[in-house]
Amino acid sequence: MVFKLQGAIPNNKAFKDASLEGNKGLCGNVSALQPCKEKKHISKRNRTLMFLTIFLVVGALSLAFAGVVLIRKGRGKQGQETDDSSVQHEYVFSTSDFDGRRMHEEIIKATNGFDAIYCIGKGGSGSVYKAKLLSGSIVAVKKLHPILEGEEASRKEFFNEIRTLLEIRHRNIVKLIGFYSHDHHSFLVYEYMEKGSLASMLNKEHEAIKLDWSTRVRIVRGVAHALSYMHHDCSPPIVHRDISSNNILLNYEYEACVSDFGTAKLLNPDSSNWTARAGTYGYVAPELAYTIKVTEKCDVYSFGVLALEVIMGKQPGDLIFSFSSPSANGEVLLNDVLDQRLPVPTPHVLDELVTIARIAIACKHAHPQSRPTMHMVSQVLSSRTAHGPQETILPVH
């Protein structure tokens, strides 16, 4: 009987002596059969090594892939921090003498987490705190109101102020020391102005009398120089858009410094310069009632209001008066509206006040193109100081 067997026969004597002819499917160490083909035998040790190698290779590939993902995510966040239109996480400004993150920690401690007792002023965009650093120096910290979802304009205003202040340097413009922005809070760090705002000084009688006539003339001149610099020496020109006594700060020498550039607009010649309305009631140019086109003439008008406020001790409102000549009649009229909390000015100072009043009226002209430029105003005020009383010729265009 022949069986159709297949496979390798065991290597023992019983099978070697067996008659297995005709079973072509069998193989083995028997003369009548084909020798079996050798099969690779994987030992337990080799099998372990093989699995270990596969595990290491797969693990290395996984780590490499995860690294690529993390790098991409990191690059995405970095891009978000410098892009105003994306979600912001942390944005720190540091210079050789300002470490943003260290300053952040110091300010949090110095203000006890922005406790109200350290608050020295409030505005539409945020509150200002006084902070004494470990070095002993004092800074003013403008903490912006929290930015809610959908209020991207507030964050853009914050970065707008930063960019503007970083590009300008003038003795009559408040100095930006640094800034810090985070999901929880964003703030600007300024040099501290010991005497506070011009508005607060004028509103308190015991403080207003410290601003004598010569000091007030110097304040008006300082603001004019700052605006002339912004309009004519910066490229592109910068329009502040919110010149008011609240935004004029005084240092310990009562030197005026223009502050709060949150609404500043850079006048790019290639753009239409149309934007949202900004400014403080009473200082806003009349043309902004029917147009929102921004020009430097808006600042000129606000300066005119401010100049009158400085010599009158209060906002002029709708009061309009003219000084067509340096006659006694004009001087008597001016005396009637000067701040009565101060003594009567000397003839020389009175002549300077007449010049300021004339300039202010010219700056408040209803037609923007009829107002002088701040460069003209700055030159006139400087020439009055250098050459003393003289006939004032104020060019307009």
PDB file of all heavy atoms in Angstrom, residues 10 37 95 102 111-112 129 138 157 170 173 179 185 202 212 251 269 274-275 294 302 341 353 392:
ATOM      1  N   PRO A  10      11.101  12.025  10.565  1.00  0.00           N
ATOM      2  CA  PRO A  10      11.997  12.142  11.719  1.00  0.00           C
ATOM      3  C   PRO A  10      13.334  11.456  11.432  1.00  0.00           C
ATOM      4  O   PRO A  10      13.412  10.445  10.726  1.00  0.00           O
ATOM      5  CB  PRO A  10      11.236  11.449  12.849  1.00  0.00           C
ATOM      6  CG  PRO A  10       9.812  11.507  12.418  1.00  0.00           C
ATOM      7  CD  PRO A  10       9.825  11.358  10.936  1.00  0.00           C
ATOM      8  N   LYS A  37      14.909  20.734   2.188  1.00  0.00           N
ATOM      9  CA  LYS A  37      15.573  22.037   2.073  1.00  0.00           C
ATOM     10  C   LYS A  37      15.784  22.635   3.458  1.00  0.00           C
ATOM     11  O   LYS A  37      14.937  22.545   4.334  1.00  0.00           O
ATOM     12  CB  LYS A  37      14.722  22.997   1.242  1.00  0.00           C
ATOM     13  CG  LYS A  37      14.586  22.571  -0.214  1.00  0.00           C
ATOM     14  CD  LYS A  37      13.757  23.587  -0.962  1.00  0.00           C
ATOM     15  CE  LYS A  37      13.618  23.184  -2.423  1.00  0.00           C
ATOM     16  NZ  LYS A  37      12.800  24.162  -3.169  1.00  0.00           N
ATOM     17  N   THR A  95      15.622  95.713  26.207  1.00  0.00           N
ATOM     18  CA  THR A  95      16.771  96.425  25.661  1.00  0.00           C
ATOM     19  C   THR A  95      17.961  96.149  26.567  1.00  0.00           C
ATOM     20  O   THR A  95      17.880  95.343  27.502  1.00  0.00           O
ATOM     21  CB  THR A  95      16.494  97.940  25.613  1.00  0.00           C
ATOM     22  OG1 THR A  95      16.299  98.426  26.945  1.00  0.00           O
ATOM     23  CG2 THR A  95      15.252  98.236  24.792  1.00  0.00           C
ATOM     24  N   ARG A 102      11.933  90.249  33.814  1.00  0.00           N
ATOM     25  CA  ARG A 102      12.320  90.631  35.177  1.00  0.00           C
ATOM     26  C   ARG A 102      11.529  91.848  35.620  1.00  0.00           C
ATOM     27  O   ARG A 102      11.055  91.928  36.760  1.00  0.00           O
ATOM     28  CB  ARG A 102      13.821  90.932  35.229  1.00  0.00           C
ATOM     29  CG  ARG A 102      14.308  91.353  36.616  1.00  0.00           C
ATOM     30  CD  ARG A 102      15.772  91.724  36.593  1.00  0.00           C
ATOM     31  NE  ARG A 102      16.024  92.829  35.686  1.00  0.00           N
ATOM     32  CZ  ARG A 102      15.780  94.104  35.995  1.00  0.00           C
ATOM     33  NH1 ARG A 102      15.263  94.416  37.172  1.00  0.00           N
ATOM     34  NH2 ARG A 102      16.056  95.054  35.143  1.00  0.00           N
ATOM     35  N   THR A 111       3.461  96.752  42.858  1.00  0.00           N
ATOM     36  CA  THR A 111       2.078  97.242  42.882  1.00  0.00           C
ATOM     37  C   THR A 111       1.138  96.270  43.592  1.00  0.00           C
ATOM     38  O   THR A 111      -0.078  96.478  43.575  1.00  0.00           O
ATOM     39  CB  THR A 111       1.562  97.484  41.454  1.00  0.00           C
ATOM     40  OG1 THR A 111       1.593  96.246  40.729  1.00  0.00           O
ATOM     41  CG2 THR A 111       2.418  98.513  40.731  1.00  0.00           C
ATOM     42  N   ASN A 112       1.708  95.220  44.176  1.00  0.00           N
ATOM     43  CA  ASN A 112       0.904  94.200  44.849  1.00  0.00           C
ATOM     44  C   ASN A 112      -0.186  93.680  43.917  1.00  0.00           C
ATOM     45  O   ASN A 112      -1.364  93.599  44.286  1.00  0.00           O
ATOM     46  CB  ASN A 112       0.290  94.763  46.133  1.00  0.00           C
ATOM     47  CG  ASN A 112      -0.293  93.672  47.022  1.00  0.00           C
ATOM     48  OD1 ASN A 112       0.120  92.505  46.945  1.00  0.00           O
ATOM     49  ND2 ASN A 112      -1.259  94.030  47.854  1.00  0.00           N
ATOM     50  N   TYR A 129      -0.346 103.210  37.158  1.00  0.00           N
ATOM     51  CA  TYR A 129       0.107 102.880  38.510  1.00  0.00           C
ATOM     52  C   TYR A 129       1.527 103.395  38.737  1.00  0.00           C
ATOM     53  O   TYR A 129       2.328 103.462  37.806  1.00  0.00           O
ATOM     54  CB  TYR A 129       0.084 101.362  38.733  1.00  0.00           C
ATOM     55  CG  TYR A 129      -1.292 100.752  38.656  1.00  0.00           C
ATOM     56  CD1 TYR A 129      -1.878 100.470  37.425  1.00  0.00           C
ATOM     57  CD2 TYR A 129      -2.016 100.449  39.810  1.00  0.00           C
ATOM     58  CE1 TYR A 129      -3.145  99.909  37.340  1.00  0.00           C
ATOM     59  CE2 TYR A 129      -3.279  99.888  39.734  1.00  0.00           C
ATOM     60  CZ  TYR A 129      -3.838  99.624  38.491  1.00  0.00           C
ATOM     61  OH  TYR A 129      -5.093  99.069  38.410  1.00  0.00           O
ATOM     62  N   ILE A 138      11.576 105.029  40.171  1.00  0.00           N
ATOM     63  CA  ILE A 138      10.118 104.992  40.119  1.00  0.00           C
ATOM     64  C   ILE A 138       9.672 105.084  38.663  1.00  0.00           C
ATOM     65  O   ILE A 138      10.191 105.906  37.898  1.00  0.00           O
ATOM     66  CB  ILE A 138       9.500 106.135  40.934  1.00  0.00           C
ATOM     67  CG1 ILE A 138       9.919 106.012  42.404  1.00  0.00           C
ATOM     68  CG2 ILE A 138       7.983 106.135  40.826  1.00  0.00           C
ATOM     69  CD1 ILE A 138       9.440 107.164  43.271  1.00  0.00           C
ATOM     70  N   GLU A 157      -4.523  98.973  19.446  1.00  0.00           N
ATOM     71  CA  GLU A 157      -4.216 100.278  20.025  1.00  0.00           C
ATOM     72  C   GLU A 157      -2.984 100.190  20.908  1.00  0.00           C
ATOM     73  O   GLU A 157      -2.122 101.074  20.890  1.00  0.00           O
ATOM     74  CB  GLU A 157      -5.418 100.762  20.834  1.00  0.00           C
ATOM     75  CG  GLU A 157      -5.198 102.103  21.517  1.00  0.00           C
ATOM     76  CD  GLU A 157      -6.423 102.561  22.267  1.00  0.00           C
ATOM     77  OE1 GLU A 157      -7.504 102.631  21.659  1.00  0.00           O
ATOM     78  OE2 GLU A 157      -6.283 102.834  23.476  1.00  0.00           O
ATOM     79  N   HIS A 170      12.148 112.790  21.965  1.00  0.00           N
ATOM     80  CA  HIS A 170      12.107 114.247  22.091  1.00  0.00           C
ATOM     81  C   HIS A 170      11.963 114.595  23.559  1.00  0.00           C
ATOM     82  O   HIS A 170      11.279 113.884  24.306  1.00  0.00           O
ATOM     83  CB  HIS A 170      10.927 114.816  21.281  1.00  0.00           C
ATOM     84  CG  HIS A 170      10.964 116.285  21.106  1.00  0.00           C
ATOM     85  ND1 HIS A 170      10.483 117.169  22.061  1.00  0.00           N
ATOM     86  CD2 HIS A 170      11.420 117.064  20.081  1.00  0.00           C
ATOM     87  CE1 HIS A 170      10.646 118.410  21.625  1.00  0.00           C
ATOM     88  NE2 HIS A 170      11.207 118.375  20.431  1.00  0.00           N
ATOM     89  N   ILE A 173       8.400 114.768  24.838  1.00  0.00           N
ATOM     90  CA  ILE A 173       7.551 113.591  24.614  1.00  0.00           C
ATOM     91  C   ILE A 173       7.933 112.546  25.644  1.00  0.00           C
ATOM     92  O   ILE A 173       9.114 112.241  25.832  1.00  0.00           O
ATOM     93  CB  ILE A 173       7.722 113.039  23.184  1.00  0.00           C
ATOM     94  CG1 ILE A 173       7.258 114.083  22.157  1.00  0.00           C
ATOM     95  CG2 ILE A 173       6.933 111.747  23.011  1.00  0.00           C
ATOM     96  CD1 ILE A 173       7.463 113.665  20.715  1.00  0.00           C
ATOM     97  N   PHE A 179       7.707  97.455  27.534  1.00  0.00           N
ATOM     98  CA  PHE A 179       6.323  96.979  27.605  1.00  0.00           C
ATOM     99  C   PHE A 179       6.290  95.478  27.796  1.00  0.00           C
ATOM    100  O   PHE A 179       7.264  94.763  27.550  1.00  0.00           O
ATOM    101  CB  PHE A 179       5.535  97.391  26.357  1.00  0.00           C
ATOM    102  CG  PHE A 179       5.957  96.698  25.082  1.00  0.00           C
ATOM    103  CD1 PHE A 179       5.497  95.428  24.773  1.00  0.00           C
ATOM    104  CD2 PHE A 179       6.799  97.315  24.187  1.00  0.00           C
ATOM    105  CE1 PHE A 179       5.872  94.791  23.603  1.00  0.00           C
ATOM    106  CE2 PHE A 179       7.186  96.698  23.010  1.00  0.00           C
ATOM    107  CZ  PHE A 179       6.728  95.438  22.717  1.00  0.00           C
ATOM    108  N   HIS A 185      -2.687  90.275  31.377  1.00  0.00           N
ATOM    109  CA  HIS A 185      -2.600  91.731  31.414  1.00  0.00           C
ATOM    110  C   HIS A 185      -1.510  92.219  30.468  1.00  0.00           C
ATOM    111  O   HIS A 185      -0.567  91.506  30.161  1.00  0.00           O
ATOM    112  CB  HIS A 185      -2.328  92.233  32.842  1.00  0.00           C
ATOM    113  CG  HIS A 185      -1.227  91.498  33.536  1.00  0.00           C
ATOM    114  ND1 HIS A 185      -1.444  90.741  34.655  1.00  0.00           N
ATOM    115  CD2 HIS A 185       0.091  91.386  33.263  1.00  0.00           C
ATOM    116  CE1 HIS A 185      -0.311  90.191  35.042  1.00  0.00           C
ATOM    117  NE2 HIS A 185       0.636  90.570  34.216  1.00  0.00           N
ATOM    118  N   LEU A 202      -4.105 122.228  36.960  1.00  0.00           N
ATOM    119  CA  LEU A 202      -4.970 123.385  36.737  1.00  0.00           C
ATOM    120  C   LEU A 202      -6.273 123.292  37.518  1.00  0.00           C
ATOM    121  O   LEU A 202      -6.876 124.318  37.865  1.00  0.00           O
ATOM    122  CB  LEU A 202      -5.274 123.534  35.242  1.00  0.00           C
ATOM    123  CG  LEU A 202      -4.095 123.923  34.347  1.00  0.00           C
ATOM    124  CD1 LEU A 202      -4.526 123.918  32.888  1.00  0.00           C
ATOM    125  CD2 LEU A 202      -3.526 125.281  34.736  1.00  0.00           C
ATOM    126  N   ASP A 212       3.346 129.473  37.563  1.00  0.00           N
ATOM    127  CA  ASP A 212       3.352 130.919  37.312  1.00  0.00           C
ATOM    128  C   ASP A 212       3.315 131.186  35.811  1.00  0.00           C
ATOM    129  O   ASP A 212       3.354 130.266  34.988  1.00  0.00           O
ATOM    130  CB  ASP A 212       4.560 131.572  37.980  1.00  0.00           C
ATOM    131  CG  ASP A 212       5.890 130.989  37.500  1.00  0.00           C
ATOM    132  OD1 ASP A 212       5.983 130.591  36.311  1.00  0.00           O
ATOM    133  OD2 ASP A 212       6.840 130.942  38.302  1.00  0.00           O
ATOM    134  N   ASN A 251       7.128 117.099  34.537  1.00  0.00           N
ATOM    135  CA  ASN A 251       8.161 116.508  35.385  1.00  0.00           C
ATOM    136  C   ASN A 251       8.420 117.416  36.589  1.00  0.00           C
ATOM    137  O   ASN A 251       7.688 118.386  36.823  1.00  0.00           O
ATOM    138  CB  ASN A 251       9.432 116.245  34.582  1.00  0.00           C
ATOM    139  CG  ASN A 251      10.063 117.516  34.027  1.00  0.00           C
ATOM    140  OD1 ASN A 251       9.741 118.630  34.452  1.00  0.00           O
ATOM    141  ND2 ASN A 251      10.966 117.367  33.085  1.00  0.00           N
ATOM    142  N   PRO A 269       1.745 108.545   3.194  1.00  0.00           N
ATOM    143  CA  PRO A 269       1.309 109.245   1.974  1.00  0.00           C
ATOM    144  C   PRO A 269       0.551 108.355   1.001  1.00  0.00           C
ATOM    145  O   PRO A 269      -0.206 108.836   0.173  1.00  0.00           O
ATOM    146  CB  PRO A 269       2.632 109.726   1.360  1.00  0.00           C
ATOM    147  CG  PRO A 269       3.600 109.739   2.495  1.00  0.00           C
ATOM    148  CD  PRO A 269       3.179 108.621   3.399  1.00  0.00           C
ATOM    149  N   TRP A 274      -7.943 107.633   6.538  1.00  0.00           N
ATOM    150  CA  TRP A 274      -9.294 107.653   7.110  1.00  0.00           C
ATOM    151  C   TRP A 274      -9.333 106.611   8.214  1.00  0.00           C
ATOM    152  O   TRP A 274      -8.891 105.485   8.043  1.00  0.00           O
ATOM    153  CB  TRP A 274     -10.341 107.339   6.051  1.00  0.00           C
ATOM    154  CG  TRP A 274     -10.536 108.457   5.077  1.00  0.00           C
ATOM    155  CD1 TRP A 274      -9.641 108.897   4.155  1.00  0.00           C
ATOM    156  CD2 TRP A 274     -11.686 109.290   4.950  1.00  0.00           C
ATOM    157  NE1 TRP A 274     -10.158 109.951   3.453  1.00  0.00           N
ATOM    158  CE2 TRP A 274     -11.420 110.216   3.910  1.00  0.00           C
ATOM    159  CE3 TRP A 274     -12.913 109.342   5.602  1.00  0.00           C
ATOM    160  CZ2 TRP A 274     -12.325 111.178   3.513  1.00  0.00           C
ATOM    161  CZ3 TRP A 274     -13.829 110.304   5.201  1.00  0.00           C
ATOM    162  CH2 TRP A 274     -13.535 111.209   4.163  1.00  0.00           C
ATOM    163  N   THR A 275      -9.855 106.974   9.351  1.00  0.00           N
ATOM    164  CA  THR A 275      -9.851 106.049  10.483  1.00  0.00           C
ATOM    165  C   THR A 275     -11.002 106.382  11.420  1.00  0.00           C
ATOM    166  O   THR A 275     -11.768 107.312  11.188  1.00  0.00           O
ATOM    167  CB  THR A 275      -8.511 106.121  11.237  1.00  0.00           C
ATOM    168  OG1 THR A 275      -8.503 105.136  12.270  1.00  0.00           O
ATOM    169  CG2 THR A 275      -8.297 107.491  11.860  1.00  0.00           C
ATOM    170  N   VAL A 294      -7.999 112.061   8.802  1.00  0.00           N
ATOM    171  CA  VAL A 294      -7.019 112.531   9.775  1.00  0.00           C
ATOM    172  C   VAL A 294      -5.921 113.334   9.082  1.00  0.00           C
ATOM    173  O   VAL A 294      -5.304 112.865   8.134  1.00  0.00           O
ATOM    174  CB  VAL A 294      -6.382 111.349  10.522  1.00  0.00           C
ATOM    175  CG1 VAL A 294      -5.299 111.844  11.476  1.00  0.00           C
ATOM    176  CG2 VAL A 294      -7.441 110.580  11.284  1.00  0.00           C
ATOM    177  N   SER A 302      -6.468 121.253  18.341  1.00  0.00           N
ATOM    178  CA  SER A 302      -6.426 120.844  19.752  1.00  0.00           C
ATOM    179  C   SER A 302      -5.389 121.651  20.517  1.00  0.00           C
ATOM    180  O   SER A 302      -5.594 122.007  21.689  1.00  0.00           O
ATOM    181  CB  SER A 302      -6.125 119.353  19.853  1.00  0.00           C
ATOM    182  OG  SER A 302      -7.113 118.585  19.204  1.00  0.00           O
ATOM    183  N   ARG A 341      -6.265 133.341  39.457  1.00  0.00           N
ATOM    184  CA  ARG A 341      -5.580 132.797  40.633  1.00  0.00           C
ATOM    185  C   ARG A 341      -4.121 133.238  40.692  1.00  0.00           C
ATOM    186  O   ARG A 341      -3.464 133.085  41.741  1.00  0.00           O
ATOM    187  CB  ARG A 341      -5.665 131.275  40.634  1.00  0.00           C
ATOM    188  CG  ARG A 341      -7.078 130.735  40.795  1.00  0.00           C
ATOM    189  CD  ARG A 341      -7.160 129.236  40.598  1.00  0.00           C
ATOM    190  NE  ARG A 341      -6.873 128.849  39.201  1.00  0.00           N
ATOM    191  CZ  ARG A 341      -6.981 127.595  38.744  1.00  0.00           C
ATOM    192  NH1 ARG A 341      -7.375 126.625  39.561  1.00  0.00           N
ATOM    193  NH2 ARG A 341      -6.705 127.329  37.482  1.00  0.00           N
ATOM    194  N   LEU A 353       1.976 136.395  26.507  1.00  0.00           N
ATOM    195  CA  LEU A 353       0.640 135.819  26.614  1.00  0.00           C
ATOM    196  C   LEU A 353      -0.261 136.284  25.482  1.00  0.00           C
ATOM    197  O   LEU A 353      -1.100 135.518  24.979  1.00  0.00           O
ATOM    198  CB  LEU A 353       0.024 136.178  27.965  1.00  0.00           C
ATOM    199  CG  LEU A 353       0.736 135.602  29.197  1.00  0.00           C
ATOM    200  CD1 LEU A 353       0.098 136.133  30.480  1.00  0.00           C
ATOM    201  CD2 LEU A 353       0.735 134.083  29.180  1.00  0.00           C
ATOM    202  N   THR A 392       4.087 140.330  16.303  1.00  0.00           N
ATOM    203  CA  THR A 392       3.924 138.928  15.928  1.00  0.00           C
ATOM    204  C   THR A 392       3.281 138.838  14.545  1.00  0.00           C
ATOM    205  O   THR A 392       2.197 139.364  14.333  1.00  0.00           O
ATOM    206  CB  THR A 392       3.041 138.198  16.946  1.00  0.00           C
ATOM    207  OG1 THR A 392       3.685 138.259  18.205  1.00  0.00           O
ATOM    208  CG2 THR A 392       2.855 136.742  16.537  1.00  0.00           C
TER     209      THR A 392
END
